[in-house]
Amino acid sequence: KRTEIRALFASAPADGASVTVCGWAKTVRDSKNIGFIELSDGSCFKPLQVVFEAAKLENYKDIAKAGVGTSLVVTGRVVLTPGAKQPLEVNADSIRVLGACPPEYPLQKKRHTVEFLRTMPHLRPRTNTFSAAFRVRSVAAYGIHKFLQENGFVYVHTPLITGSDCEGAGEMFRVTTLDAAQPPRTEEGAVDFSQDFFGRATNLTVSGQLEGEAMATAFGKIYTFGPTFRAENSNTPRHAAEFWMIEPEIAFADLADEMDLSEAMVKSVIAYVLETCPDEMAFFNQFFDKTLLERLNALINSDFARVSYTEAVEILSKHNDSFQYKVEWGTDLQTEHERFLTEQIYKKPVFVTDYPKAIKSFYMRVNGDGKTVAAADMLVPGVGELCGGSQREERLDVLTARMDELGLSRADYEWYLELRRFGTVEHAGFGLGFERLIMYLTGIPNIRDVLPFPRTAGGF
Ligand code: 4AD
Ligand code: MG
């Protein structure tokens, strides 16, 4: 019966216990009579050392020649090695090759660049960097569900195919079954989407927020956690065309409640990953960012900074010489400004609040000054914007006036307006970009390396 390597390490077996493990060889070294295999079965980050001896194995020479990547079944005895790097190793009584791996296998024992590894997304999860990144991803996802579920949030599934553009940025992928070369046309010559699959124009969702609001005004506290699509043609290290977003939405809550929630959630998931993935996190600390563990540990015990957009612009405009884009009141903050604030000024996560309404979405609650909205972006060192949130406009008359001002069709948003017409309440929420959280947690600087199969502008 096979034992997982993770279970073997965790179970503290007796010296001499007999065991069968399966895995892939990460390295094979040998001298004349004794050889060593680092074996990984993917169940944990640490490989198992297998010792094999010519005196015991008939196929010693074949095993000694086995290439990196060969899959093996090993039966042997546990040898406790207190004081060594690993607590135990296995001395093999027999080793059987399941699948050979020839020398053209690209993942030979040497340091490969992430750019090279990006060309083989089907193989790179076998490397240390990607195995650690994708396990952290899995654990962080669970940590988020755990935090929200334990706090009484209902997980809701919002549609991926929608008819509305939540962010109003027009960065949507169209979903259609019409013939792209010869679509039906209206008399005016426009594409006639009434003949399309759904009888209307549809696209992949850019955010589950609007549907999330509908669920929050029934359950009080909800969250979405799902894929999100944006046809932003930006080739940057932090934009993907398909990414995952967590969107909590809370009723009877204002912007301060929203910031408290997102801060608590981010701290909780960081603490959970530090606790659950010590080996992976130690690896990132060693190879990606030597201050990672120190920074993350400090962060979970300190308060995030909070500054208004207007104050932030005052601070940033003093440094306009060092920016490619100059800052003045009314302009949107670019990544360079966001990173300057969080990395140079505050040196920790910071919420920037109360942005000019002209640069934010239609659903954000207009402040008393009539010029700004109750929005809060959470910026973090190394990444920039991690969360975008706001208090929502719950006043029907203000919301419809704002939509008219922006030229949004009331008919398209009729159901959304009904949430205000029927028992409206103050409510607020945010969206956390899951890949950006993983970048922040691991120190991996490119979004292409925290998504198992990244889809970014320009191809994959
Ligand atoms: O700031 P955004 O656009 O906010 C919304 O979509 C709101 N509807 C969320 C809400 O209030 N429920 O996006 C939220 C977050 C960003 O802060 C960023 O972390 C991430 O989603 N994000 C992206 N991540 C990767 N690739 C992209 N192209 C992203 N666009 C946004
Ligand atoms: Mg945003």
Side-chain angles (χ1 to χ4, degrees):
K1 196 177 141 273
R2 171 190 169 216
T3 303
E4 283 186 6
I5 293 173
R6 174 179 66 114
L8 186 63
F9 284 138
S11 65
D15 196 61
S18 142
V19 68
T20 296
V21 290
C22 298
W24 295 272
K26 300 205 74 157
T27 61
V28 181
R29 293 179 288 132
D30 77 293
S31 59
K32 212 161 139 220
N33 296 313
I34 187 164
F36 303 90
I37 300 168
E38 278 185 299
L39 191 75
S40 169
D41 67 359
S43 64
C44 60
F45 188 65
K46 278 187 204 146
L48 172 71
Q49 167 140 294
V50 174
V51 181
F52 60 107
E53 296 172 49
K56 289 169 75 177
L57 299 193
E58 274 174 20
N59 58 349
Y60 178 84
K61 286 214 174 93
D62 295 337
I63 299 301
K65 275 190 303 199
V68 173
T70 302
S71 47
L72 303 165
V73 191
V74 177
T75 298
R77 286 173 305 98
V78 170
V79 179
L80 298 183
T81 52
K85 216 163 77 188
Q86 306 296 344
L88 57 85
E89 59 189 33
V90 167
N91 188 292
D93 295 323
S94 79
I95 301 183
R96 184 159 60 88
V97 172
L98 293 172
C101 194
E104 63 263 29
Y105 183 55
L107 305 181
Q108 295 303 325
K109 167 106 188 140
K110 63 169 197 149
R111 210 56 102 60
H112 299 287
T113 65
V114 290
E115 289 79 10
F116 172 72
L117 293 170
R118 257 176 231 154
T119 66
M120 47 194 79
H122 59 302
L123 295 178
R124 67 179 184 166
R126 301 175 182 200
T127 65
N128 284 339
T129 296
F130 291 94
S131 125
F134 300 148
R135 194 185 314 275
V136 163
R137 199 179 154 102
S138 163
V139 169
Y142 184 66
I144 286 170
H145 282 296
K146 187 165 142 50
F147 171 83
L148 290 167
Q149 295 274 343
E150 285 174 358
N151 283 289
F153 284 72
V154 174
Y155 178 30
V156 304
H157 296 132
T158 49
L160 299 188
I161 300 175
T162 80
S164 52
D165 178 5
C166 172
E167 291 307 301
E171 291 161 337
M172 300 174 302
F173 289 102
R174 179 127 278 159
V175 174
T176 179
T177 53
L178 296 179
D179 178 352
Q182 282 181 309
R185 303 263 173 198
T186 61
E187 274 170 23
E188 293 78 45
V191 175
D192 184 4
F193 287 107
S194 72
Q195 295 188 46
D196 204 347
F197 188 88
F198 294 105
R200 58 183 294 181
T202 50
N203 50 269
L204 293 177
T205 187
V206 296
S207 162
Q209 179 195 322
L210 303 187
E211 294 89 351
E213 284 182 58
M215 298 300 268
T217 49
F219 288 102
K221 296 196 286 192
I222 63 92
Y223 68 105
T224 72
F225 191 162
T228 309
F229 306 88
R230 296 204 185 170
E232 292 167 284
N233 204 2
S234 36
N235 191 1
T236 81
R238 52 188 71 75
H239 288 90
E242 178 177 319
F243 62 100
W244 286 62
M245 186 148 64
I246 296 97
E247 296 187 272
E249 190 74 28
I250 43 179
F252 314 105
D254 62 13
L255 191 68
D257 299 318
E258 181 277 315
M259 288 189 278
D260 291 346
L261 173 64
S262 55
E263 178 168 340
M265 184 175 110
V266 167
K267 285 178 181 171
S268 160
V269 60
I270 291 174
Y272 184 70
V273 169
L274 288 171
E275 183 190 309
T276 313
C277 301
D279 296 337
E280 287 83 354
M281 294 304 290
F283 172 84
F284 289 120
N285 195 72
Q286 188 179 350
F287 292 105
F288 281 82
D289 177 353
K290 296 262 192 270
T291 64
L292 185 69
L293 292 178
E294 191 191 315
R295 277 197 296 109
L296 294 177
N297 277 304
L299 176 129
I300 50 185
N301 297 306
S302 76
D303 293 334
F304 294 4
R306 298 184 184 191
V307 63
S308 74
Y309 168 89
T310 302
E311 292 167 281
V313 166
E314 265 169 42
I315 296 169
L316 289 168
S317 56
K318 296 201 183 93
H319 302 273
N320 263 340
D321 287 348
S322 50
F323 298 135
Q324 189 188 348
Y325 295 97
K326 309 299 166 213
V327 182
E328 56 177 357
W329 203 96
T331 57
D332 205 357
L333 301 183
Q334 305 292 324
T335 298
E336 57 173 338
H337 310 130
E338 295 176 340
R339 291 190 57 176
F340 191 87
L341 270 182
T342 181
E343 289 165 26
Q344 309 295 326
I345 305 289
Y346 294 99
K347 299 187 166 57
K348 61 177 177 176
V350 52
F351 287 101
V352 177
T353 66
D354 305 295
Y355 286 79
K357 67 175 181 185
I359 58 172
K360 288 291 186 187
S361 302
F362 77 96
Y363 52 72
M364 295 188 180
R365 193 178 198 278
V366 179
N367 286 327
D369 61 13
K371 290 190 307 193
T372 60
V373 286
D377 281 2
M378 184 201 293
L379 316 178
V380 299
V383 174
E385 182 186 334
L386 176 61
C387 300
S390 64
Q391 187 173 337
R392 320 307 189 189
E393 186 56 78
E394 86 285 9
R395 298 163 296 186
L396 181 64
D397 52 338
V398 183
L399 182 59
T400 47
R402 184 80 186 116
M403 288 173 59
D404 292 348
E405 206 177 357
L406 292 168
L408 295 176
S409 138
R410 287 197 198 188
D412 286 353
Y413 293 88
E414 191 46 39
W415 68 266
Y416 186 70
L417 294 174
E418 287 196 351
L419 305 178
R420 278 72 182 162
R421 199 169 289 129
F422 304 140
T424 194
V425 288
E426 278 193 339
H427 62 292
F430 65 93
L432 177 143
F434 187 55
E435 285 69 27
R436 297 194 185 175
L437 176 69
I438 305 305
M439 292 167 70
Y440 185 52
L441 267 167
T442 59
I444 292 178
N446 197 307
I447 198 164
R448 290 164 182 78
D449 302 326
V450 297
L451 275 158
F453 297 90
R455 271 80 179 102
T456 51
F460 56 84

